[in-house]
Each structure stands twice: as C-alpha cells, then as structure tokens.
Amino acid sequence: MHSRDGKIWMDGKLIEWRDANIHVLTHSLHYGMAVFEGVRAYKTDKGPAIFRLPEHTRRLLNSAKIFQMKVPYDYDTLMEAQKEVIRVNNLDSGYIRPLVWVGSERLGIAAKDNTIHAMIAAWPWGAYLGEDGLNKGIRVKTSSFTRHHVNVSLVRAKASGYYINSILSNQEALANGYDEALVLDTDGFVSEGSGENVFIVRNGKLYTPDLASCLDGITRDSVIVMAEDMGLKVIEKRITRDEFYTCDEAFFTGTAAEITPIRELDNRVIGAGTRGPITEKLQSLFFDVVAGKTPKYADWLTYV
Ligand SMILES: Cc1[nH+]cc(COP(=O)(O)O)c(CN[C@@H](CCC(=O)O)C(=O)O)c1O
C-alpha cells in the first residue's frame, strides 16, 4: 500500500502518496489508540458519490472524543477532505480511509499532549469478500475468540487497537478454510463478524444483535431503514449460534463487505445454501441506492 501514485490528505495538506510517512516512535503505533473510518465512494451517472459521508465523519469525530483525542480538524474540513481525495486521485469509485492518531512527542501509557494527527487516503477496493461471495454467499466459522466486553472496549468507537481481536478471528477462520469469522460476545451470543455487522432472516423477519458489543454500523443502519421501508420487521435481539444454524437466510453488512450473504456457519448450511431472496432484494436495492438510482435515498449520497 505504501508505494503507489496519488495524493493523500495529511494534517491539512494534500501530499504525495509515498511521502505520507510517520516516525516509528509514534504513540499510536505502540499502543493502538487511533481511530479510523471505512467509507465508500460509488460511481453514479452524476459522477462519484460518497455513501453516508456525514454519518461516517460524525462517527470518526465521536470515536476520537471517546478517547479524548482533540482532533485539530473540524467536521466540515474532514467532509471536504474526503471528497478531495476522491477528486485529486481521479477515482470514479473507491474506498476512503480516514485515520486519526496520536503523534510521537512522548511515549508511555501516561504520555499526554502529543500532537493529534489526521490523514485521509482513498484507493480502488472491489468486493471485500469476493464477487462470488456477494452472489453465492460465504462460509463462516464461529470464532474461538470473544468479542468486546462493553467495559473493556468502548465499541461506539472504531478504534485501531480493537482490530487485533478482528485479525485473530479472521486469521483463524481463513486458516481453517472458511471465508470469515463470526464472533460471539462475552455471554456467548452472536455479536458481529471480524469487520462486519450481521443479520439473520427467519420467517420473513430480520434479526440483528443489539449494539452492546458491536460497532454501530452505518450499513447495518441503512439495511434496517431499507428493510422497514419494504415492510419487513427488523428486531434487535440476542441471537444464539443455533438460531443462526436454523435460520432461513443470513448476511454480513459493512462498508467494505457491503451486503454479503452467509451460506454456511460452522458447516451447517444456512437455508438453501446460497443467497436468500430477502438478502437478494436488500442487496439489489443497496446497489441501486449507492449507484444513485433511488431518489428515496438520495440524501444518503454526497456527490464529489
Ligand atoms: C467490527 C466491525 N463491525 C461492523 C462494521 C460495519 O460498519 P459500517 O462500515 O459502518 O457498516 C465494520 C466496518 N469495517 C470496516 C473495516 C474493514 C477493514 O478490513 O478495514 C469497513 O467495512 O470498511 C467493522 O470493522
């Protein structure tokens, strides 16, 4: 990722991609206290449009607030900078990664007053879990690791350090021949994927875990709104792994994952073992929305 042509917005300026470097004694590199976002811009007839940019920008600032990181750039500056990196890199679609981190003036857990930095990069990123995954569904393994406890990890923040848990879960799933991990909470109920929220469908109703142990996903929120607009009931509840095994459909949601069907969990076939009809309907609507084809959700798009 470090050597490519293009520009990165870093601490208020657009700089050459290869010059966007930091010191090895950067506090966040050692202790993991940094916050980030994953945002997508999509190609539309009216040019690139960023999906739910305000919500992502607000979440980034809230993540920093939770950790008392005083971001030296305001909402409007960060909004504009995310549009700028799409424009300046001539992307008609792409993945945008804002990151806010603690600088290198001091090390140590008790270090304070380090400079808070921000950068925003954007690059092309296709189907996170593969085109086949989007169409036919993926195979998932329940992780041997446990998702965050509410008082260990403040999960309203999208914090870099939390992704050690995600990497461990994802590595274990891949090493065992699966495509992604499903992580349970400290009570053994379904929480989320390593980088996605999760839904199951049973008798025409959607169920999704509450937000106690998982990220308040923007795609999750979008799916809830679209499903309810379709007249589907969406229920937030504690979901057990055997409810998952016996449901009719299941899917992950996320900016990178978009809406990816789950066709197996722990070698139990989910429903008909492929993308289910409600999943397909939601996925098709989602891709129409991000392509700017659905006036009803036009305010979810910020044109670059
Ligand atoms: C743990 C987790 N849970 C849920 C979500 C879905 O949230 P949202 O994107 O707001 O719908 C994501 C996004 N994961 C991001 C990082 C992926 C990566 O590999 O990095 C993403 O999808 O961009 C998570 O990381």
Side-chain angles (χ1 to χ4, degrees):
M1 287 301 289
H2 65 286
S3 179
R4 58 171 70 190
D5 297 332
K7 301 267 187 197
I8 287 178
W9 183 96
M10 187 161 166
D11 287 337
K13 293 195 277 311
L14 281 171
I15 64 171
E16 287 303 316
W17 189 285
R18 294 180 180 86
D19 296 339
N21 303 308
I22 60 172
H23 196 275
V24 289
L25 294 178
T26 292
H27 192 277
S28 293
L29 189 57
H30 295 244
Y31 304 109
M33 184 174 275
V35 294
F36 71 97
E37 273 299 321
V39 194
R40 271 194 193 265
Y42 287 92
K43 186 174 181 175
T44 79
D45 295 344
K46 293 191 284 182
I50 303 174
F51 184 62
R52 302 198 75 181
L53 180 60
E55 290 81 358
H56 281 284
T57 307
R58 181 58 50 217
R59 188 171 68 183
L60 179 72
L61 288 168
N62 280 339
S63 297
K65 178 179 181 181
I66 288 167
F67 298 133
Q68 301 186 93
M69 298 165 74
K70 290 186 176 47
V71 184
Y73 309 101
D74 65 13
Y75 171 87
D76 290 337
T77 303
L78 294 169
M79 286 279 286
E80 182 52 35
Q82 292 172 87
K83 293 157 71 173
E84 185 60 22
V85 292
I86 292 291
R87 281 195 289 261
V88 76
N89 288 297
N90 303 310
L91 293 168
D92 57 12
S93 65
Y95 184 82
I96 306 166
R97 173 52 60 88
L99 174 75
V100 172
W101 73 94
V102 181
S104 58
E105 289 85 351
R106 294 161 202 85
L107 268 190
I109 292 166
K112 62 188 180 68
D113 302 333
N114 283 24
T115 306
I116 301 299
H117 297 270
M119 79 89 196
I120 302 171
W123 64 88
W125 199 357
Y128 184 66
L129 293 163
E131 282 300 330
D132 236 20
L134 276 180
N135 298 320
K136 297 185 192 135
I138 61 172
R139 297 182 62 247
V140 176
K141 173 177 175 1
T142 298
S143 178
S144 68
F145 299 97
T146 297
R147 206 66 182 149
H148 309 301
H149 180 281
V150 282
N151 211 29
V152 170
S153 309
L154 308 177
V155 290
R156 290 291 73 78
K158 188 173 170 70
S160 300
Y162 298 168
Y163 286 79
I164 293 174
N165 177 272
S166 295
I167 292 166
L168 288 171
S169 301
N170 177 266
Q171 280 177 343
E172 179 188 55
L174 297 183
N176 285 280
Y178 298 86
D179 302 307
E180 182 51 293
L182 181 72
V183 202
L184 307 181
D185 67 17
T186 48
D187 294 328
F189 292 90
V190 170
S191 175
E192 59 182 341
S194 74
E196 312 88 358
N197 293 109
V198 72
F199 287 79
I200 65 171
V201 180
R202 178 190 288 272
N203 302 327
K205 294 192 184 84
L206 276 75
Y207 298 87
T208 193
D210 68 32
L211 295 174
S213 67
C214 63
L215 186 70
D216 184 357
I218 292 165
T219 317
R220 172 186 182 275
D221 177 68
S222 308
V223 163
I224 291 171
V225 170
M226 294 190 297
E228 289 178 343
D229 287 350
M230 285 176 182
L232 296 170
K233 209 164 161 40
V234 184
I235 297 140
E236 280 192 3
K237 75 180 276 291
R238 301 187 98 175
I239 297 171
T240 58
R241 56 198 292 185
D242 51 359
E243 278 181 294
F244 209 115
Y245 293 160
T246 54
C247 71
D248 302 321
E249 302 179 41
F251 56 90
F252 278 138
T253 64
T255 298
E258 296 166 312
I259 296 177
T260 298
I262 297 168
R263 61 186 172 86
E264 256 187 54
L265 176 64
D266 301 339
N267 304 318
R268 281 79 164 176
V269 172
I270 303 294
T274 186
R275 177 177 57 189
I278 290 178
T279 306
E280 182 166 8
K281 218 168 146 201
L282 285 164
Q283 192 188 59
S284 165
L285 175 57
F286 175 81
F287 284 123
D288 280 351
V289 168
V290 298
K293 296 178 184 163
T294 323
K296 184 182 179 75
Y297 301 102
D299 60 347
W300 280 353
L301 295 179
T302 300
Y303 287 89
V304 169

